[in-house]
Amino acid sequence: MGSAMAMNIHKAGFPLIVYNRTRSKTEPFAKLGIPVANSPREVAEKSDVVIEMVTDAPDVEEVLFGKDGVVHGAHPGLVVIDMSTNSPDYAKYFAGKLAEYGIEFLDAPVTGGDVGARQGTLTIMVGGKREVFERVKPVFEAMGKTIIYAGDVGNGQMLKLLNQIVVGIDMLAVAEAMALAKKAGIDMEKLFTVLSTGAANSFTVQYYMPKMMKGDFEPGFRAAHLKKDLKYAIETTNKLNVPLPGTALTLQLYNALVAKGLGEKGTQALLKLYYELAGINDG
């Protein structure tokens, strides 16, 4: 997703320098004459705004505070935007530690998947100082269609975790309906028509169910990443004493999916687990 988002920033006319831990992933940018940095430090030295999009909080910490991290290229006015998904607590931790170097911070996770990243139609949820958000808002508008200022640092991550709760439980519901339909001999195309045109309609039904019907489990969003997001949601709800049994169940099912070696498949691979539990041989 990060590469597509960076390309949209370039297309919007912003000067750009890129870095990736896997250098081959920067080749499309180099071919366009876009400079490729050798480290996050170099990106920071040559930028007013640093955006990082990585897998999890430890990766964010390495990019920001590692040996050649962003903080070593700090200069007055630098803004760091974390567009990864982790947790409100991590966002506050990153903001506090960056402030020691005079760096402003926004947490700005996204939803909309690989399609939204390519098309520049992501929904972006932003936490941090309002004046910093307003200063960099045109950059967000290059990547997303719906930009939401969520308030204080951490609120962007909180909104994203709430989104992931619904995403996960919605996938569980679709997988359960499809497993029962398969066992009961219901035509899957007819089930799709009912779900996609009635009260059960959702992005999961529209986008993922056709893939599930074809046995296409390649990732638009990886199962292991949803497991990680739901883990952060459960950690947060435990601190706030809010019971979320549906989220807890969904996390355990994705734990099982990852344990079966399917973590790098798309979230829709949950159907494979349901078919196995129901004794359905789908080839």
Side-chain angles (χ1 to χ4, degrees):
M1 288 179 66
S3 293
M5 292 159 68
M7 196 61 76
N8 285 330
I9 291 173
H10 167 68
K11 290 175 182 176
F14 291 100
L16 189 67
I17 181 170
V18 298
Y19 168 78
N20 195 293
R21 291 171 290 186
T22 305
R23 196 169 180 91
S24 61
K25 293 183 179 180
T26 64
E27 289 176 3
F29 297 92
K31 289 177 181 177
L32 292 172
I34 296 168
V36 177
N38 293 309
S39 66
R41 174 179 186 160
E42 185 182 349
V43 174
E45 289 171 343
K46 298 178 178 179
S47 304
D48 297 318
V49 178
V50 174
I51 298 172
E52 38 86 8
M53 181 71 160
V54 290
T55 302
D56 201 351
D59 307 288
V60 177
E61 185 150 27
E62 177 63 24
V63 168
L64 296 181
F65 308 110
K67 181 182 177 183
D68 284 310
V70 168
V71 295
H72 302 296
H75 56 82
L78 183 62
V79 177
V80 166
I81 303 173
D82 175 22
M83 302 193 78
S84 314
T85 300
N86 39 79
S87 74
D89 286 345
Y90 271 117
K92 293 169 187 175
Y93 165 71
F94 296 141
K97 199 167 178 181
L98 287 170
E100 297 173 9
Y101 296 85
I103 301 172
E104 297 287 359
F105 176 81
L106 298 173
D107 57 297
V110 306
T111 185
D114 57 336
V115 174
R118 290 194 303 271
Q119 296 178 351
T121 57
L122 294 168
T123 294
I124 306 174
M125 301 145 273
V126 189
K129 294 178 183 175
R130 182 92 198 203
E131 61 270 24
V132 178
F133 166 72
E134 294 294 345
R135 192 193 323 162
V136 301
K137 188 176 180 182
V139 181
F140 289 131
E141 290 171 339
M143 296 180 283
K145 185 177 180 181
T146 303
I147 318 299
I148 299 167
Y149 176 65
D152 293 341
V153 166
N155 284 2
Q157 293 293 354
M158 190 68 245
L159 275 178
K160 177 60 185 288
L161 295 183
L162 296 171
N163 180 81
Q164 298 304 78
I165 288 170
V166 176
V167 165
I169 294 176
D170 202 16
M171 185 63 76
L172 180 151
V174 171
E176 289 197 355
M178 291 181 69
L180 180 56
K182 190 80 171 178
K183 199 82 171 186
I186 297 297
D187 183 272
M188 211 62 76
E189 289 287 349
K190 292 178 180 176
L191 175 62
F192 175 72
T193 299
V194 170
L195 296 184
S196 63
T197 59
N201 193 20
S202 67
F203 177 83
T204 302
V205 170
Q206 291 284 352
Y207 182 73
Y208 282 111
M209 189 174 171
K211 291 177 178 287
M212 296 159 81
M213 290 162 62
K214 293 186 293 185
D216 177 2
F217 300 112
E218 292 310 302
F221 186 68
R222 287 179 171 81
H225 292 177
L226 183 57
K227 173 202 163 182
K228 178 259 300 181
D229 296 349
L230 294 174
K231 174 181 73 75
Y232 283 129
I234 289 296
E235 289 174 359
T236 302
T237 196
N238 284 342
K239 290 177 183 177
L240 297 175
N241 296 316
V242 178
L244 298 182
T247 304
L249 172 59
T250 306
L251 172 58
Q252 291 307 316
L253 289 169
Y254 276 97
N255 277 335
L257 201 62
V258 171
K260 289 179 62 64
L262 295 169
E264 294 306 301
K265 294 296 184 181
T267 54
Q268 71 272 24
L270 187 64
L271 182 65
K272 292 176 71 69
L273 182 62
Y274 267 94
Y275 277 5
E276 181 178 322
L277 292 171
I280 297 170
N281 184 356
D282 200 39

